[in-house]
Amino acid sequence: MHYGSSISHGLEAPAPTLTGVRTLLATVVDVRADPALHYFDGRQLLGPDEATSLPDGLHPDPAAHLRMGERAARMLLDPHL
């Protein structure tokens, strides 16, 4: 995915960061005000204290996938939790 202009003026757009993407997605969901559109911050599904569950530093291991699914199901079934 390319975020810069096809015409280079020496001013390339900075690469997106995870924090920036999270902020952008949350803003889009808020602005849309669509009751059928929801945003889940991944940190609600797998927290920073569970980093050891990411064997390659990025992808969750099988047990983490299970925990994430259970947490997502709880959030979807009872969004007031």
Side-chain angles (χ1 to χ4, degrees):
M1 184 175 284
H2 180 67
Y3 292 94
S5 168
S6 61
I7 301 173
S8 178
H9 297 285
L11 300 173
E12 289 292 322
T17 64
L18 184 55
T19 300
V21 170
R22 284 182 178 133
T23 300
L24 178 61
L25 288 172
T27 301
V28 168
V29 170
D30 286 342
V31 170
R32 292 282 308 267
D34 180 343
L37 184 62
H38 304 277
Y39 170 71
F40 290 107
D41 186 323
R43 294 170 293 188
Q44 293 174 289
L45 301 178
L46 193 68
D49 59 322
E50 297 174 281
T52 57
S53 295
L54 307 171
D56 65 357
L58 180 62
H59 299 95
D61 62 22
H65 272 112
L66 182 60
R67 290 193 310 274
M68 291 169 66
E70 290 168 346
R71 292 170 185 166
R74 280 196 306 271
M75 292 168 66
L76 289 167
L77 295 173
D78 189 356
H80 302 290
L81 289 176

